[in-house]
Structure formats: C-alpha cells, structure tokens
Amino acid sequence: MASRGGFSSKAGFIAAAAGSAVGLGNIWGFPYEVGAGGGAIFVLVYLFFCFVLCFPVMITEIAIGRKSGRNAVGAFNALGHKKWNFVGKIGVLSGILILSFYNVIAGWAFGYTFQLGSGNFAVADNFTAFTSNVFEVGTYGMLFMIATAFIVSKGISGGIEKAAKILLPTLIFMILGLVIYSLFLPNAMSGLKFYLLPDFSKFSFNVVFNAMGQAFFSLSLGMGALITYGSYVGKNDNIVSSAALITLADVGIAFIAGMMIFPFIGYISNGELTGVGGGPELIFVTLPQIFGSIGGVTGSILGASFFALLCFAALTSTVSLLEVPVSYLVDEYKLTRTKAAWLMAGIVYVIGIPSLVGNGYSEYFTEFIQYFNAETKTNFLSFVVNLANDSFLPLGGCLIVFFAAHIWKKENIDAEISIGAPNYEKSFVKKYLSIALPYLVPILLATIFIMTVLVTFFGVDF
Ligand code: PHE
C-alpha cells in the first residue's frame, strides 16, 4: 500500500488538531453562547465540561486512530470490529454536512473581510441583503472551498500541518492585538465584568446543556476528525499530553476571543450591555457596527483584521472536516489524495447550496421546516446545524466511547496510550478514564443527544 503520510512531529500534530478545534465555534459561537447563557457562569460550566467530558473523548479518538492507522470508518475494521464501522460512517456523513454549511459561513466572513477592508461598514446594517446576494457570497464560499481542497490535496505534513503552523500563530497574534485595542475603549470594563464575574442566579439547566454541546463541537469531537488525525500520529508521541495541549489551546483561544469581544460590546452599549442577546448577529451585525463607529482607516483595518482572523480560524477547521471523507476515500476506495480532495470538495459545495440560498434568497430554504411546537420556521442551514452538530456529534461521540470501552476494551485503550506515555500507568488520568470511559461520558453524551432531539425537534420543555 502506498504511504498514507503522517505528521512530521508531535508539534505538527498538535498544531493541526488545535487548528481543527479552533474555528468559528470559538470566535463566532462561543461569545454568543456566553451572551445568551448569562456571561461568566456559562464560561465556568464550559471549562468544566472541556476537561471532564471532552478530554477523555479526545484521548480515545486519537488512540483509536493511531492504533488502527486508518480513516474514521476503516479504523473499526482494522481493530477487528467491522460491525461497528457504521459509527465511522455517521462521522463521515457528519463531516460532510458540517462542512457544507460551515463553508457558507466562512464565505460570509471572507466577504466581510473585503467589505470592511474597503470601508463599507453599511454591509452590517442589512445582513439579510448581504446573505441574499447568493452569487457574490457563493463565490466567496467557492474560493474558500478551493483553498480548503488545495491544502488537503497537498497531504498531511506538506499541506495540513504546514498551513496550521502558519495560520494558528498568525491568528493568535491578531486576536491579541485586537484584545489590547478593545481593552482601552471606554466602558470596556463593563463588558469584561459580564464576561468574567459569574452571576450564579443565571445558572440553569439550559446553561449546562448548551455548554456541553458547545464544548463538544468546539473540540472537533464525535465525528472521527481526531480518529483521522490520530492515524497520522507517530508511535512515540504522547497522546495524553497532546490531548491536554489541544484542549488548552482551544479553550485558551475561545477565552481570549471573549476578552476581545466583550469589551467591544461594553463600548458600543455604553456599559449597558444591551445587545448581548446572543445569536449569530453578534459577529455579523453588532461587531461591524462597532468598527463602523470607530470609522475611518482604523475602523477598516480593525474590521478587516477581525474577519481575516475568523477566516484563518475557519480554514484550519474546514481542512480537518474535509480530511475525514477524503482519507476515507483514499484508504478504502484507493482514490489518489488529489482526486479525492477535489471530488469531495465539489460534492460538499453542492450539498451546501441549500444552506447558501436559505438565508433570504430562496423562500423555500429560508422557511425550510417547522419543528413540532415551534412558533417560527427554521432555515435549511440551522436545520443542518441541529441535525449534524447538535445531534450527530453527541451520538457519534457516545458510540465511539462506548465502542472503545466496552467492545475494543479499556486494556487496549490503555495499552495504546501507554506507548509514548511512560507515566500513564500510574497516573490519575488512567484512573479517571476507568470511570469516565465506560460510564460517565457515554451517559452524559447519550443524555445530550436525547435531550437535543426532544427539545429541538419536538419542542419538549424541561
Ligand atoms: N471545532 C471547530 C470549531 O470550533 C468545528 C469542527 C467540528 C471542526 C467538528 C471539525 C470537526 O469551529
């Protein structure tokens, strides 16, 4: 068999996996979830779940990938449990669905980079007019998908790893620049207070539930992205410390994204913090208005930098989403990487068209579906989000962990983790995993899955 390629070093893997994790979920999703979830209390719950729930799943996915040396579907076959490869197939499907709409949003961000860069702040006044202009935004999306396919076609060390090693540091540098700028604005501190001082009266079941879902999506779990990346990891690398660093990088960047955004919101709302209602508008409407109110060249530079940063973050994530089906095609159907990458990118782009046109342009896809007991209709893009992110990911994660602990067996996970991690045998992590993997994590994930289906699709009120 031809070589599948691999990461050139542990640092290369960590950069790529952290690049996958850090994406729209951190810079777009996290702040608006914080806004909707009552501020700092959400942040606390989120941090808790990243380590308690997500960290074990991450270790498991990487271990399955490295042991099997195969894609998300082939991994189950290689471990001798072909019957379970449906779990990998759900993962490949989730990857395709997520990428299909994710790329549309990335295309908007790409478009905003140009608009704000050229001083057109008015674009934010009528966001629907912008998204309805499907030929323009569709072209931005297409360019984005081409960039993604290009990187994936260049392979693991020559494409994915190289891109992440450039994009990730650039992104961190840009966010820090914006954090410093935003902290010096008038009323910045009121935003920070909302973000950092927990108001325990806002604690609710919904906060817990949304924080779990957000943590899971943000860490790229539940669809085999990390099984796939894990299959390119060297045998001598330490899985536990890698997973810890990836989690810290993801959490850290989400955290500083909040440090950048909430001072801006404190500023625009004169310290009242109105408009922190959450929702996608936070990034595409509120923030550009802030850049507009700063105005002039400074406003343009800030605005364009922010959206360029969002694109960089999205690109290392779209690459990991595309890699899942691509490595499946390469391993199982013997396609060349180049062919698989361009073919898959084309298919995904087409699947994304209803999400593209369902934001004002096509009435049918804009008012796509009305869930039971819902007052309003849901557009196609949100429908795919509810299906893939909110439902398939927790389901997939639950099945992956259940499989690993009960079918592949905990001893085998431990044996794989121990390679490259000499201290693992006696560590606290090992003890924790012996409770988390067989019981705690599958139960929590099954609960999120069932609750999401009931709440989202059937309007059940808890
Ligand atoms: N973690 C990415 C983000 O936060 C999204 C993602 C999910 C990427 C699943 C790959 C797999 O934006």
Side-chain angles (χ1 to χ4, degrees):
M1 199 160 100
S3 157
R4 304 168 75 245
F7 293 111
S8 70
S9 64
K10 180 177 167 194
F13 164 61
I14 292 172
S20 165
V22 175
L24 297 174
N26 302 58
I27 296 163
W28 177 60
F30 179 73
Y32 90 62
E33 293 277 2
V34 173
I41 187 75
F42 182 94
V43 181
L44 277 181
V45 181
Y46 172 82
L47 289 177
F48 176 79
F49 282 121
C50 281
F51 290 96
V52 169
L53 169 81
C54 297
F55 180 59
V57 184
M58 184 177 292
I59 291 182
T60 308
E61 284 203 27
I62 300 172
I64 293 179
R66 189 174 71 176
K67 174 73 193 176
S68 65
R70 299 277 283 280
N71 65 88
V73 179
F76 292 89
N77 305 347
L79 296 180
H81 298 282
K82 205 165 177 192
K83 261 200 213 139
W84 280 80
N85 77 14
F86 77 94
V87 177
K89 288 181 183 158
I90 301 178
V92 171
L93 178 68
S94 311
I96 292 174
L97 288 175
I98 294 176
L99 182 55
S100 76
F101 77 78
Y102 200 96
N103 187 69
V104 171
I105 301 173
W108 295 343
F110 199 34
Y112 262 56
T113 311
F114 295 116
Q115 298 292 343
L116 300 192
S118 60
N120 178 19
F121 300 106
V123 65
D125 298 342
N126 195 343
F127 184 51
T128 316
F130 173 78
T131 59
S132 303
N133 190 352
V134 292
F135 296 98
E136 188 183 330
V137 288
T139 307
Y140 291 131
M142 189 175 288
L143 292 172
F144 208 85
M145 189 65 96
I146 289 174
T148 306
F150 178 76
I151 294 171
V152 170
S153 75
K154 293 288 167 209
I156 305 305
S157 57
I160 295 178
E161 178 179 328
K162 219 177 187 177
K165 278 184 166 165
I166 301 169
L167 293 173
L168 205 62
T170 316
L171 169 91
I172 295 175
F173 184 74
M174 288 168 88
I175 301 191
L176 288 177
L178 285 169
V179 169
I180 293 169
Y181 184 89
S182 75
L183 284 176
F184 284 101
L185 289 168
N187 290 314
M189 287 309 136
S190 64
L192 268 196
K193 262 194 204 143
F194 173 81
Y195 182 49
L196 298 177
L197 295 180
D199 172 354
F200 288 96
S201 69
K202 298 224 172 105
F203 186 82
S204 72
F205 182 72
N206 263 338
V207 167
V208 174
F209 183 63
N210 290 338
M212 266 203 260
Q214 170 65 23
F216 209 66
F217 176 76
S218 183
L219 287 163
S220 302
L221 298 172
M223 49 156 280
L226 290 171
I227 295 183
T228 309
Y229 274 14
S231 73
Y232 305 116
V233 168
K235 278 288 177 201
N236 296 325
D237 291 345
N238 183 328
I239 295 180
V240 178
S241 65
S242 304
L245 287 170
I246 297 162
T247 307
L248 282 174
D250 185 62
V251 167
I253 293 184
F255 189 76
I256 52 174
M259 297 283 290
M260 148 182 82
I261 283 168
F262 288 100
F264 273 128
I265 293 176
Y267 161 72
I268 194 78
S269 63
N270 291 322
E272 301 292 323
L273 254 57
T274 46
V276 194
E281 302 79 36
L282 187 61
I283 294 295
F284 286 104
V285 179
T286 312
L287 264 190
Q289 283 167 350
I290 297 168
F291 298 131
S293 82
I294 294 166
V297 181
T298 316
S300 277
I301 293 177
L302 286 174
S305 317
F306 174 81
F307 283 97
L309 165 165
L310 199 57
C311 291
F312 287 171
L315 189 57
T316 45
S317 300
T318 53
V319 159
S320 72
L321 287 160
L322 187 63
E323 176 60 23
V324 172
V326 164
S327 90
Y328 171 58
L329 290 181
V330 169
D331 286 351
E332 309 297 316
Y333 295 91
K334 310 287 175 248
L335 257 65
T336 63
R337 171 166 282 280
T338 313
K339 221 185 241 166
W342 292 105
L343 175 74
M344 215 54 238
I347 294 175
V348 174
Y349 188 80
V350 173
I351 297 178
I353 289 177
S355 295
L356 173 71
V357 300
N359 287 280
Y361 179 78
S362 146
E363 198 184 314
Y364 177 75
F365 288 113
T366 304
E367 310 220 316
F368 183 64
I369 186 167
Q370 186 151 15
Y371 301 142
F372 290 104
N373 296 327
E375 277 160 23
T376 51
K377 293 194 170 156
T378 299
N379 68 22
F380 190 84
L381 193 154
S382 307
F383 170 67
V384 181
V385 172
N386 293 149
L387 196 70
N389 298 12
D390 304 344
S391 313
F392 287 179
L393 292 187
L395 176 66
C398 176
L399 292 170
I400 290 171
V401 171
F402 183 89
F403 163 83
H406 296 283
I407 312 289
W408 184 39
K409 299 278 189 255
K410 178 74 171 37
E411 307 85 82
N412 291 317
I413 312 176
D414 286 337
E416 184 59 31
I417 299 173
S418 296
I419 310 174
N423 301 329
Y424 175 70
E425 270 310 309
K426 292 198 190 69
S427 67
F428 169 75
V429 174
K430 184 176 175 203
K431 284 200 196 79
Y432 177 61
L433 292 186
S434 62
I435 310 167
L437 296 181
Y439 315 109
L440 183 68
V441 170
I443 292 171
L444 280 177
L445 289 172
T447 312
I448 315 187
F449 169 67
I450 295 167
M451 295 279 304
T452 305
V453 172
L454 293 177
V455 172
T456 312
F457 297 108
F458 296 98
V460 177
D461 199 7
F462 282 93

